[in-house]
Amino acid sequence: MGFWKEFRRVAKLAGVKALRIHDLRHFAASTLTGAGIEDNIIGLLTGHKSRELRRYQHLREELTRKTVDLIAEVLKEAGKNGKGASSSRLLHGAPKKPKSVR
């Protein structure tokens, strides 16, 4: 069975109508961009040239906003708890006390 015929058969079984390979390429590029994957890696996986990836730039901007919001929330929580905002504490929480050796 050829690739296209098999692709359409599997899409039909999944209840997906009118799905094209190009739709999967777009989905992959959007998903990877939104996850913060670098353009050169996305291009290798999807075949996009760097200029073609500009159409997904809005997803990078959204990811940047979410990242800044997350950092602000972590700093806010650290301030509420009366703890300093050291990078180690922010990333890993309060240091764990070593277990006593018997």
Side-chain angles (χ1 to χ4, degrees), residues 1-63:
M1 184 178 292
F3 174 79
W4 295 109
K5 192 171 184 178
E6 181 67 10
F7 177 78
R8 285 191 296 272
R9 185 185 74 76
V10 171
K12 185 177 179 180
L13 285 173
V16 178
K17 297 178 183 178
L19 180 67
R20 303 168 298 158
I21 292 291
H22 181 79
D23 298 328
L24 296 177
R25 182 180 187 230
H26 178 71
F27 172 76
S30 297
T31 301
L32 295 170
T33 300
I37 305 300
E38 295 181 26
D39 286 352
N40 60 331
I41 302 298
I42 297 170
L44 286 172
L45 295 172
T46 64
H48 284 94
K49 292 181 173 64
S50 62
R51 70 177 184 278
E52 294 173 322
L53 291 170
R54 289 186 203 139
R55 73 183 67 172
Y56 305 104
Q57 187 61 35
H58 67 283
L59 298 170
R60 283 236 192 270
E61 292 163 3
E62 182 178 335
L63 180 63

